[in-house]
Amino acid sequence: MTSYYFEHQKIYLSVDCIIFGFEANKLKVLIGKRQMDPGRGEWSLYGGFVRNDEGIDEAAKRTLYELTGIRNVFMSQVSAFGNVDRDPGERVVSIAYYALINVADYSAKQQKDHGVEWVNIDEIPEMFSDHKEMVQKARKLLQRKIKHEPVGFQLLPHLFTLTQLQRLYEAVNGEELDKRNFRKRVKEMDFIEKTDLIDKLTSKRGAVLYRFNKKMYEADLNFKL
């Protein structure tokens, strides 16, 4: 193979995954202690280098699957992070992605095997390099997207109450919402459907259960695993 650009400096390209989950009315992020130098032992996102035979989206899909083993996950690109001194090891540019998974789908054994854990987004410790900045930027994107699109589909059970849905929106946005105004907004969201089922486990009175319209959700996915 003919070689070109040999006179230019080589730069490493990586992907980092911000994995959001929702549990106990809290938005959570999956993080772990870094297992390599530099930064060994520091809190970090889960990521890896892009291989020569794959594109960046493929690398992100592979990285996420290696960590969770879960398919059909909503995933979207956040941004490129390329400050010259962001990685003390080498010159590395990272493409960050955020993904949404149901916490219940990711077992304690998987967490232990990969050395990661769920942390409340408002209690994230200091992290390696610019990983905390990645999380903050991903949350802002999620806040904008959840206002108009059914991205919460994978963070909630298949059937949910309006109270559960409101708690999710509050967790993502980091603020309490007026109950009456929120329910008025829900009625305007075509992708949220009312069912004939009643929740009698988490509600003493019995609350109506809702679900997302999967067809509209899937049409809006950036890509699937």
Side-chain angles (χ1 to χ4, degrees):
M1 180 182 293
T2 304
S3 296
Y4 299 97
Y5 314 127
F6 58 85
E7 72 275 20
H8 297 288
Q9 176 186 347
K10 294 185 181 299
I11 296 176
Y12 290 90
L13 181 63
S14 68
V15 293
D16 282 293
C17 294
I18 301 111
I19 304 173
F20 290 123
F22 180 67
E23 184 182 44
N25 297 332
K26 300 290 185 181
L27 183 66
K28 299 190 174 184
V29 182
L30 197 63
I31 64 176
K33 293 293 184 71
R34 190 170 165 88
Q35 302 296 313
M36 59 185 293
D37 294 318
R40 185 183 297 271
E42 294 182 35
W43 288 105
S44 171
L45 295 172
Y46 193 86
F49 288 101
V50 179
R51 296 171 179 171
N52 288 335
D53 61 348
E54 63 184 0
I56 56 174
D57 285 355
E58 292 175 306
K61 294 176 184 181
R62 171 182 56 78
T63 299
L64 182 65
Y65 182 72
E66 288 175 354
L67 174 62
T68 66
I70 302 174
R71 298 187 182 277
N72 297 323
V73 175
F74 176 90
M75 201 173 188
S76 184
Q77 190 178 123
V78 177
S79 182
F81 293 80
N83 286 346
V84 174
D85 59 351
R86 65 173 300 274
D87 191 311
E90 292 285 352
R91 180 78 167 91
V92 181
V93 173
S94 181
I95 311 296
Y97 289 77
Y98 78 86
L100 309 177
I101 70 173
N102 192 319
V103 171
D105 292 336
Y106 193 54
S107 69
K109 182 181 183 304
Q110 288 174 300
Q111 293 180 52
K112 183 177 180 181
D113 289 345
H114 290 284
V116 293
E117 60 185 82
W118 292 106
V119 177
N120 291 345
I121 194 166
D122 295 320
E123 301 174 358
I124 294 178
E126 290 304 312
M127 301 181 71
F128 174 75
S129 184
D130 49 12
H131 287 192
K132 196 168 185 177
E133 180 186 348
M134 290 180 180
V135 174
Q136 293 168 343
K137 191 163 187 176
R139 185 184 192 181
K140 289 180 180 178
L141 291 176
L142 181 58
Q143 288 171 345
R144 290 201 292 267
K145 202 170 188 69
I146 201 172
K147 291 179 180 179
H148 309 290
E149 301 172 16
V151 295
F153 176 69
Q154 298 213 31
L155 294 175
L156 288 171
H158 173 63
L159 297 172
F160 51 85
T161 66
L162 289 184
T163 297
Q164 288 175 305
L165 183 63
Q166 181 173 338
R167 296 293 177 264
L168 170 61
Y169 275 69
E170 290 175 338
V172 170
N173 290 303
E175 60 183 12
E176 292 186 10
L177 301 174
D178 178 78
K179 181 178 179 179
R180 182 177 298 179
N181 289 339
F182 177 77
R183 298 197 174 201
K184 182 179 179 181
R185 284 179 54 203
V186 169
K187 291 181 179 179
E188 300 171 353
M189 298 177 183
D190 296 334
F191 51 79
I192 297 177
E193 298 179 337
K194 183 178 181 180
T195 73
D196 296 326
L197 303 174
I198 301 295
D199 173 31
K200 295 182 179 180
L201 295 177
T202 61
S203 173
K204 293 181 179 179
R205 290 184 176 181
V208 176
L209 289 167
Y210 289 73
R211 65 188 170 200
F212 284 107
N213 183 311
K214 291 186 178 181
K215 290 183 179 179
M216 292 190 67
Y217 172 74
E218 291 173 355
D220 184 65
L221 285 179
N222 285 27
F223 61 86
K224 276 192 169 185
L225 296 185

PDB file of all heavy atoms in Angstrom, residues 42-73:
ATOM      1  N   GLU A  42      -8.000   6.682  38.336  1.00  0.00           N
ATOM      2  CA  GLU A  42      -8.893   7.843  38.338  1.00  0.00           C
ATOM      3  C   GLU A  42     -10.260   7.440  37.778  1.00  0.00           C
ATOM      4  O   GLU A  42     -10.374   6.533  36.959  1.00  0.00           O
ATOM      5  CB  GLU A  42      -8.303   8.975  37.485  1.00  0.00           C
ATOM      6  CG  GLU A  42      -7.015   9.561  38.034  1.00  0.00           C
ATOM      7  CD  GLU A  42      -6.502  10.704  37.175  1.00  0.00           C
ATOM      8  OE1 GLU A  42      -7.344  11.451  36.625  1.00  0.00           O
ATOM      9  OE2 GLU A  42      -5.273  10.843  37.040  1.00  0.00           O
ATOM     10  N   TRP A  43     -11.303   8.144  38.228  1.00  0.00           N
ATOM     11  CA  TRP A  43     -12.631   7.909  37.674  1.00  0.00           C
ATOM     12  C   TRP A  43     -12.632   8.286  36.205  1.00  0.00           C
ATOM     13  O   TRP A  43     -12.016   9.273  35.795  1.00  0.00           O
ATOM     14  CB  TRP A  43     -13.686   8.710  38.422  1.00  0.00           C
ATOM     15  CG  TRP A  43     -13.963   8.196  39.799  1.00  0.00           C
ATOM     16  CD1 TRP A  43     -13.562   8.746  40.977  1.00  0.00           C
ATOM     17  CD2 TRP A  43     -14.706   7.022  40.147  1.00  0.00           C
ATOM     18  NE1 TRP A  43     -13.997   7.989  42.039  1.00  0.00           N
ATOM     19  CE2 TRP A  43     -14.714   6.933  41.553  1.00  0.00           C
ATOM     20  CE3 TRP A  43     -15.376   6.047  39.405  1.00  0.00           C
ATOM     21  CZ2 TRP A  43     -15.348   5.892  42.232  1.00  0.00           C
ATOM     22  CZ3 TRP A  43     -16.014   5.013  40.073  1.00  0.00           C
ATOM     23  CH2 TRP A  43     -16.005   4.941  41.467  1.00  0.00           C
ATOM     24  N   SER A  44     -13.338   7.477  35.408  1.00  0.00           N
ATOM     25  CA  SER A  44     -13.266   7.659  33.967  1.00  0.00           C
ATOM     26  C   SER A  44     -14.525   7.132  33.286  1.00  0.00           C
ATOM     27  O   SER A  44     -15.241   6.291  33.834  1.00  0.00           O
ATOM     28  CB  SER A  44     -12.030   6.915  33.431  1.00  0.00           C
ATOM     29  OG  SER A  44     -12.015   6.890  32.025  1.00  0.00           O
ATOM     30  N   LEU A  45     -14.781   7.630  32.084  1.00  0.00           N
ATOM     31  CA  LEU A  45     -15.800   7.040  31.228  1.00  0.00           C
ATOM     32  C   LEU A  45     -15.225   5.782  30.595  1.00  0.00           C
ATOM     33  O   LEU A  45     -14.027   5.522  30.673  1.00  0.00           O
ATOM     34  CB  LEU A  45     -16.211   8.024  30.130  1.00  0.00           C
ATOM     35  CG  LEU A  45     -16.894   9.307  30.585  1.00  0.00           C
ATOM     36  CD1 LEU A  45     -17.048  10.262  29.407  1.00  0.00           C
ATOM     37  CD2 LEU A  45     -18.252   9.012  31.210  1.00  0.00           C
ATOM     38  N   TYR A  46     -16.088   5.001  29.955  1.00  0.00           N
ATOM     39  CA  TYR A  46     -15.638   3.796  29.280  1.00  0.00           C
ATOM     40  C   TYR A  46     -15.448   4.135  27.802  1.00  0.00           C
ATOM     41  O   TYR A  46     -16.344   4.649  27.151  1.00  0.00           O
ATOM     42  CB  TYR A  46     -16.668   2.675  29.435  1.00  0.00           C
ATOM     43  CG  TYR A  46     -16.153   1.309  29.045  1.00  0.00           C
ATOM     44  CD1 TYR A  46     -15.472   0.518  29.970  1.00  0.00           C
ATOM     45  CD2 TYR A  46     -16.341   0.806  27.767  1.00  0.00           C
ATOM     46  CE1 TYR A  46     -14.996  -0.746  29.628  1.00  0.00           C
ATOM     47  CE2 TYR A  46     -15.870  -0.451  27.417  1.00  0.00           C
ATOM     48  CZ  TYR A  46     -15.202  -1.220  28.350  1.00  0.00           C
ATOM     49  OH  TYR A  46     -14.731  -2.458  28.020  1.00  0.00           O
ATOM     50  N   GLY A  47     -14.270   3.863  27.288  1.00  0.00           N
ATOM     51  CA  GLY A  47     -13.985   4.199  25.895  1.00  0.00           C
ATOM     52  C   GLY A  47     -12.884   3.342  25.324  1.00  0.00           C
ATOM     53  O   GLY A  47     -12.474   2.337  25.916  1.00  0.00           O
ATOM     54  N   GLY A  48     -12.400   3.734  24.169  1.00  0.00           N
ATOM     55  CA  GLY A  48     -11.328   2.980  23.523  1.00  0.00           C
ATOM     56  C   GLY A  48     -10.903   3.663  22.236  1.00  0.00           C
ATOM     57  O   GLY A  48     -11.537   4.614  21.772  1.00  0.00           O
ATOM     58  N   PHE A  49      -9.836   3.160  21.649  1.00  0.00           N
ATOM     59  CA  PHE A  49      -9.310   3.745  20.424  1.00  0.00           C
ATOM     60  C   PHE A  49     -10.046   3.184  19.203  1.00  0.00           C
ATOM     61  O   PHE A  49     -10.469   2.037  19.187  1.00  0.00           O
ATOM     62  CB  PHE A  49      -7.810   3.472  20.308  1.00  0.00           C
ATOM     63  CG  PHE A  49      -6.991   4.271  21.290  1.00  0.00           C
ATOM     64  CD1 PHE A  49      -6.518   3.690  22.457  1.00  0.00           C
ATOM     65  CD2 PHE A  49      -6.709   5.607  21.043  1.00  0.00           C
ATOM     66  CE1 PHE A  49      -5.774   4.432  23.368  1.00  0.00           C
ATOM     67  CE2 PHE A  49      -5.965   6.358  21.939  1.00  0.00           C
ATOM     68  CZ  PHE A  49      -5.503   5.762  23.106  1.00  0.00           C
ATOM     69  N   VAL A  50     -10.164   4.033  18.191  1.00  0.00           N
ATOM     70  CA  VAL A  50     -10.790   3.625  16.932  1.00  0.00           C
ATOM     71  C   VAL A  50      -9.809   2.758  16.156  1.00  0.00           C
ATOM     72  O   VAL A  50      -8.639   3.121  15.998  1.00  0.00           O
ATOM     73  CB  VAL A  50     -11.183   4.857  16.099  1.00  0.00           C
ATOM     74  CG1 VAL A  50     -11.818   4.434  14.773  1.00  0.00           C
ATOM     75  CG2 VAL A  50     -12.134   5.756  16.883  1.00  0.00           C
ATOM     76  N   ARG A  51     -10.287   1.618  15.680  1.00  0.00           N
ATOM     77  CA  ARG A  51      -9.422   0.709  14.927  1.00  0.00           C
ATOM     78  C   ARG A  51      -9.302   1.155  13.473  1.00  0.00           C
ATOM     79  O   ARG A  51     -10.133   1.904  12.964  1.00  0.00           O
ATOM     80  CB  ARG A  51     -10.002  -0.706  14.991  1.00  0.00           C
ATOM     81  CG  ARG A  51     -10.038  -1.289  16.402  1.00  0.00           C
ATOM     82  CD  ARG A  51     -10.816  -2.597  16.433  1.00  0.00           C
ATOM     83  NE  ARG A  51     -10.830  -3.166  17.777  1.00  0.00           N
ATOM     84  CZ  ARG A  51     -11.587  -4.210  18.128  1.00  0.00           C
ATOM     85  NH1 ARG A  51     -12.384  -4.789  17.243  1.00  0.00           N
ATOM     86  NH2 ARG A  51     -11.555  -4.669  19.375  1.00  0.00           N
ATOM     87  N   ASN A  52      -8.274   0.655  12.804  1.00  0.00           N
ATOM     88  CA  ASN A  52      -8.032   1.040  11.416  1.00  0.00           C
ATOM     89  C   ASN A  52      -9.143   0.594  10.475  1.00  0.00           C
ATOM     90  O   ASN A  52      -9.325   1.179   9.405  1.00  0.00           O
ATOM     91  CB  ASN A  52      -6.699   0.463  10.932  1.00  0.00           C
ATOM     92  CG  ASN A  52      -5.508   1.163  11.560  1.00  0.00           C
ATOM     93  OD1 ASN A  52      -5.604   2.316  11.968  1.00  0.00           O
ATOM     94  ND2 ASN A  52      -4.377   0.468  11.634  1.00  0.00           N
ATOM     95  N   ASP A  53      -9.876  -0.446  10.850  1.00  0.00           N
ATOM     96  CA  ASP A  53     -10.886  -1.011   9.948  1.00  0.00           C
ATOM     97  C   ASP A  53     -12.317  -0.624  10.317  1.00  0.00           C
ATOM     98  O   ASP A  53     -13.265  -1.294   9.906  1.00  0.00           O
ATOM     99  CB  ASP A  53     -10.762  -2.538   9.921  1.00  0.00           C
ATOM    100  CG  ASP A  53     -10.998  -3.166  11.288  1.00  0.00           C
ATOM    101  OD1 ASP A  53     -11.030  -2.421  12.288  1.00  0.00           O
ATOM    102  OD2 ASP A  53     -11.153  -4.405  11.348  1.00  0.00           O
ATOM    103  N   GLU A  54     -12.503   0.442  11.101  1.00  0.00           N
ATOM    104  CA  GLU A  54     -13.852   0.825  11.490  1.00  0.00           C
ATOM    105  C   GLU A  54     -14.015   2.333  11.516  1.00  0.00           C
ATOM    106  O   GLU A  54     -13.054   3.083  11.715  1.00  0.00           O
ATOM    107  CB  GLU A  54     -14.209   0.246  12.869  1.00  0.00           C
ATOM    108  CG  GLU A  54     -13.354   0.757  14.007  1.00  0.00           C
ATOM    109  CD  GLU A  54     -13.654   0.101  15.345  1.00  0.00           C
ATOM    110  OE1 GLU A  54     -14.538  -0.773  15.431  1.00  0.00           O
ATOM    111  OE2 GLU A  54     -12.963   0.445  16.330  1.00  0.00           O
ATOM    112  N   GLY A  55     -15.253   2.781  11.304  1.00  0.00           N
ATOM    113  CA  GLY A  55     -15.577   4.192  11.409  1.00  0.00           C
ATOM    114  C   GLY A  55     -15.833   4.550  12.862  1.00  0.00           C
ATOM    115  O   GLY A  55     -15.888   3.680  13.735  1.00  0.00           O
ATOM    116  N   ILE A  56     -16.047   5.827  13.131  1.00  0.00           N
ATOM    117  CA  ILE A  56     -16.222   6.243  14.532  1.00  0.00           C
ATOM    118  C   ILE A  56     -17.540   5.743  15.112  1.00  0.00           C
ATOM    119  O   ILE A  56     -17.599   5.374  16.286  1.00  0.00           O
ATOM    120  CB  ILE A  56     -16.091   7.775  14.690  1.00  0.00           C
ATOM    121  CG1 ILE A  56     -17.081   8.514  13.792  1.00  0.00           C
ATOM    122  CG2 ILE A  56     -14.667   8.222  14.413  1.00  0.00           C
ATOM    123  CD1 ILE A  56     -17.089  10.018  14.020  1.00  0.00           C
ATOM    124  N   ASP A  57     -18.613   5.721  14.309  1.00  0.00           N
ATOM    125  CA  ASP A  57     -19.881   5.186  14.807  1.00  0.00           C
ATOM    126  C   ASP A  57     -19.750   3.702  15.132  1.00  0.00           C
ATOM    127  O   ASP A  57     -20.251   3.226  16.147  1.00  0.00           O
ATOM    128  CB  ASP A  57     -20.999   5.389  13.782  1.00  0.00           C
ATOM    129  CG  ASP A  57     -21.481   6.831  13.710  1.00  0.00           C
ATOM    130  OD1 ASP A  57     -21.003   7.660  14.520  1.00  0.00           O
ATOM    131  OD2 ASP A  57     -22.329   7.137  12.846  1.00  0.00           O
ATOM    132  N   GLU A  58     -19.049   2.983  14.266  1.00  0.00           N
ATOM    133  CA  GLU A  58     -18.824   1.551  14.502  1.00  0.00           C
ATOM    134  C   GLU A  58     -18.013   1.347  15.780  1.00  0.00           C
ATOM    135  O   GLU A  58     -18.282   0.423  16.552  1.00  0.00           O
ATOM    136  CB  GLU A  58     -18.091   0.933  13.309  1.00  0.00           C
ATOM    137  CG  GLU A  58     -18.909   0.869  12.038  1.00  0.00           C
ATOM    138  CD  GLU A  58     -18.080   0.370  10.867  1.00  0.00           C
ATOM    139  OE1 GLU A  58     -17.009   0.960  10.601  1.00  0.00           O
ATOM    140  OE2 GLU A  58     -18.493  -0.600  10.226  1.00  0.00           O
ATOM    141  N   ALA A  59     -17.020   2.191  15.995  1.00  0.00           N
ATOM    142  CA  ALA A  59     -16.194   2.080  17.194  1.00  0.00           C
ATOM    143  C   ALA A  59     -17.029   2.328  18.444  1.00  0.00           C
ATOM    144  O   ALA A  59     -16.878   1.644  19.461  1.00  0.00           O
ATOM    145  CB  ALA A  59     -15.029   3.066  17.126  1.00  0.00           C
ATOM    146  N   ALA A  60     -17.922   3.308  18.376  1.00  0.00           N
ATOM    147  CA  ALA A  60     -18.783   3.616  19.522  1.00  0.00           C
ATOM    148  C   ALA A  60     -19.735   2.458  19.803  1.00  0.00           C
ATOM    149  O   ALA A  60     -19.945   2.071  20.960  1.00  0.00           O
ATOM    150  CB  ALA A  60     -19.563   4.895  19.257  1.00  0.00           C
ATOM    151  N   LYS A  61     -20.315   1.878  18.752  1.00  0.00           N
ATOM    152  CA  LYS A  61     -21.219   0.733  18.916  1.00  0.00           C
ATOM    153  C   LYS A  61     -20.484  -0.449  19.538  1.00  0.00           C
ATOM    154  O   LYS A  61     -20.983  -1.104  20.459  1.00  0.00           O
ATOM    155  CB  LYS A  61     -21.786   0.316  17.556  1.00  0.00           C
ATOM    156  CG  LYS A  61     -22.688   1.326  16.908  1.00  0.00           C
ATOM    157  CD  LYS A  61     -23.089   0.830  15.520  1.00  0.00           C
ATOM    158  CE  LYS A  61     -23.919   1.846  14.774  1.00  0.00           C
ATOM    159  NZ  LYS A  61     -24.316   1.350  13.432  1.00  0.00           N
ATOM    160  N   ARG A  62     -19.280  -0.715  19.021  1.00  0.00           N
ATOM    161  CA  ARG A  62     -18.486  -1.830  19.541  1.00  0.00           C
ATOM    162  C   ARG A  62     -18.132  -1.611  21.006  1.00  0.00           C
ATOM    163  O   ARG A  62     -18.258  -2.525  21.838  1.00  0.00           O
ATOM    164  CB  ARG A  62     -17.209  -1.989  18.712  1.00  0.00           C
ATOM    165  CG  ARG A  62     -16.206  -2.983  19.308  1.00  0.00           C
ATOM    166  CD  ARG A  62     -14.937  -3.060  18.471  1.00  0.00           C
ATOM    167  NE  ARG A  62     -14.286  -1.787  18.280  1.00  0.00           N
ATOM    168  CZ  ARG A  62     -13.532  -1.184  19.197  1.00  0.00           C
ATOM    169  NH1 ARG A  62     -13.347  -1.738  20.390  1.00  0.00           N
ATOM    170  NH2 ARG A  62     -12.934  -0.022  18.924  1.00  0.00           N
ATOM    171  N   THR A  63     -17.690  -0.407  21.330  1.00  0.00           N
ATOM    172  CA  THR A  63     -17.299  -0.095  22.703  1.00  0.00           C
ATOM    173  C   THR A  63     -18.465  -0.264  23.660  1.00  0.00           C
ATOM    174  O   THR A  63     -18.335  -0.847  24.743  1.00  0.00           O
ATOM    175  CB  THR A  63     -16.758   1.337  22.789  1.00  0.00           C
ATOM    176  OG1 THR A  63     -15.602   1.453  21.945  1.00  0.00           O
ATOM    177  CG2 THR A  63     -16.364   1.699  24.209  1.00  0.00           C
ATOM    178  N   LEU A  64     -19.632   0.233  23.265  1.00  0.00           N
ATOM    179  CA  LEU A  64     -20.817   0.124  24.117  1.00  0.00           C
ATOM    180  C   LEU A  64     -21.229  -1.320  24.301  1.00  0.00           C
ATOM    181  O   LEU A  64     -21.561  -1.762  25.409  1.00  0.00           O
ATOM    182  CB  LEU A  64     -21.970   0.929  23.520  1.00  0.00           C
ATOM    183  CG  LEU A  64     -23.254   0.937  24.338  1.00  0.00           C
ATOM    184  CD1 LEU A  64     -23.038   1.634  25.677  1.00  0.00           C
ATOM    185  CD2 LEU A  64     -24.383   1.620  23.574  1.00  0.00           C
ATOM    186  N   TYR A  65     -21.184  -2.100  23.223  1.00  0.00           N
ATOM    187  CA  TYR A  65     -21.580  -3.503  23.326  1.00  0.00           C
ATOM    188  C   TYR A  65     -20.599  -4.291  24.179  1.00  0.00           C
ATOM    189  O   TYR A  65     -20.993  -5.162  24.966  1.00  0.00           O
ATOM    190  CB  TYR A  65     -21.681  -4.134  21.936  1.00  0.00           C
ATOM    191  CG  TYR A  65     -22.126  -5.570  21.985  1.00  0.00           C
ATOM    192  CD1 TYR A  65     -23.444  -5.889  22.308  1.00  0.00           C
ATOM    193  CD2 TYR A  65     -21.233  -6.604  21.755  1.00  0.00           C
ATOM    194  CE1 TYR A  65     -23.861  -7.204  22.376  1.00  0.00           C
ATOM    195  CE2 TYR A  65     -21.635  -7.923  21.828  1.00  0.00           C
ATOM    196  CZ  TYR A  65     -22.953  -8.223  22.136  1.00  0.00           C
ATOM    197  OH  TYR A  65     -23.357  -9.534  22.216  1.00  0.00           O
ATOM    198  N   GLU A  66     -19.300  -3.994  24.059  1.00  0.00           N
ATOM    199  CA  GLU A  66     -18.299  -4.678  24.887  1.00  0.00           C
ATOM    200  C   GLU A  66     -18.556  -4.435  26.369  1.00  0.00           C
ATOM    201  O   GLU A  66     -18.323  -5.306  27.205  1.00  0.00           O
ATOM    202  CB  GLU A  66     -16.893  -4.187  24.520  1.00  0.00           C
ATOM    203  CG  GLU A  66     -16.388  -4.685  23.183  1.00  0.00           C
ATOM    204  CD  GLU A  66     -15.049  -4.078  22.804  1.00  0.00           C
ATOM    205  OE1 GLU A  66     -14.580  -3.171  23.545  1.00  0.00           O
ATOM    206  OE2 GLU A  66     -14.464  -4.488  21.789  1.00  0.00           O
ATOM    207  N   LEU A  67     -19.060  -3.241  26.698  1.00  0.00           N
ATOM    208  CA  LEU A  67     -19.302  -2.896  28.098  1.00  0.00           C
ATOM    209  C   LEU A  67     -20.614  -3.460  28.619  1.00  0.00           C
ATOM    210  O   LEU A  67     -20.676  -3.990  29.727  1.00  0.00           O
ATOM    211  CB  LEU A  67     -19.307  -1.375  28.267  1.00  0.00           C
ATOM    212  CG  LEU A  67     -19.688  -0.846  29.658  1.00  0.00           C
ATOM    213  CD1 LEU A  67     -18.684  -1.332  30.709  1.00  0.00           C
ATOM    214  CD2 LEU A  67     -19.758   0.666  29.654  1.00  0.00           C
ATOM    215  N   THR A  68     -21.691  -3.368  27.820  1.00  0.00           N
ATOM    216  CA  THR A  68     -23.023  -3.720  28.323  1.00  0.00           C
ATOM    217  C   THR A  68     -23.579  -5.026  27.780  1.00  0.00           C
ATOM    218  O   THR A  68     -24.400  -5.669  28.437  1.00  0.00           O
ATOM    219  CB  THR A  68     -24.034  -2.606  27.984  1.00  0.00           C
ATOM    220  OG1 THR A  68     -24.211  -2.540  26.560  1.00  0.00           O
ATOM    221  CG2 THR A  68     -23.540  -1.263  28.495  1.00  0.00           C
ATOM    222  N   GLY A  69     -23.186  -5.402  26.576  1.00  0.00           N
ATOM    223  CA  GLY A  69     -23.775  -6.584  25.950  1.00  0.00           C
ATOM    224  C   GLY A  69     -25.213  -6.346  25.537  1.00  0.00           C
ATOM    225  O   GLY A  69     -25.941  -7.288  25.213  1.00  0.00           O
ATOM    226  N   ILE A  70     -25.651  -5.092  25.515  1.00  0.00           N
ATOM    227  CA  ILE A  70     -27.035  -4.751  25.205  1.00  0.00           C
ATOM    228  C   ILE A  70     -27.124  -4.178  23.794  1.00  0.00           C
ATOM    229  O   ILE A  70     -26.313  -3.355  23.395  1.00  0.00           O
ATOM    230  CB  ILE A  70     -27.586  -3.724  26.219  1.00  0.00           C
ATOM    231  CG1 ILE A  70     -27.488  -4.274  27.641  1.00  0.00           C
ATOM    232  CG2 ILE A  70     -29.036  -3.367  25.890  1.00  0.00           C
ATOM    233  CD1 ILE A  70     -27.867  -3.260  28.704  1.00  0.00           C
ATOM    234  N   ARG A  71     -28.146  -4.630  23.055  1.00  0.00           N
ATOM    235  CA  ARG A  71     -28.370  -4.130  21.703  1.00  0.00           C
ATOM    236  C   ARG A  71     -29.588  -3.210  21.670  1.00  0.00           C
ATOM    237  O   ARG A  71     -30.293  -3.069  22.648  1.00  0.00           O
ATOM    238  CB  ARG A  71     -28.554  -5.288  20.724  1.00  0.00           C
ATOM    239  CG  ARG A  71     -27.327  -6.203  20.618  1.00  0.00           C
ATOM    240  CD  ARG A  71     -27.497  -7.222  19.526  1.00  0.00           C
ATOM    241  NE  ARG A  71     -26.366  -8.133  19.443  1.00  0.00           N
ATOM    242  CZ  ARG A  71     -25.231  -7.862  18.802  1.00  0.00           C
ATOM    243  NH1 ARG A  71     -25.098  -6.708  18.161  1.00  0.00           N
ATOM    244  NH2 ARG A  71     -24.241  -8.731  18.774  1.00  0.00           N
ATOM    245  N   ASN A  72     -29.834  -2.619  20.502  1.00  0.00           N
ATOM    246  CA  ASN A  72     -30.967  -1.713  20.294  1.00  0.00           C
ATOM    247  C   ASN A  72     -30.961  -0.561  21.297  1.00  0.00           C
ATOM    248  O   ASN A  72     -31.970  -0.274  21.944  1.00  0.00           O
ATOM    249  CB  ASN A  72     -32.289  -2.477  20.381  1.00  0.00           C
ATOM    250  CG  ASN A  72     -32.419  -3.522  19.283  1.00  0.00           C
ATOM    251  OD1 ASN A  72     -31.986  -3.290  18.163  1.00  0.00           O
ATOM    252  ND2 ASN A  72     -32.986  -4.659  19.618  1.00  0.00           N
ATOM    253  N   VAL A  73     -29.824   0.055  21.433  1.00  0.00           N
ATOM    254  CA  VAL A  73     -29.651   1.148  22.384  1.00  0.00           C
ATOM    255  C   VAL A  73     -29.641   2.482  21.646  1.00  0.00           C
ATOM    256  O   VAL A  73     -28.996   2.629  20.608  1.00  0.00           O
ATOM    257  CB  VAL A  73     -28.330   0.983  23.164  1.00  0.00           C
ATOM    258  CG1 VAL A  73     -28.081   2.178  24.066  1.00  0.00           C
ATOM    259  CG2 VAL A  73     -28.364  -0.302  23.979  1.00  0.00           C
TER     260      VAL A  73
END
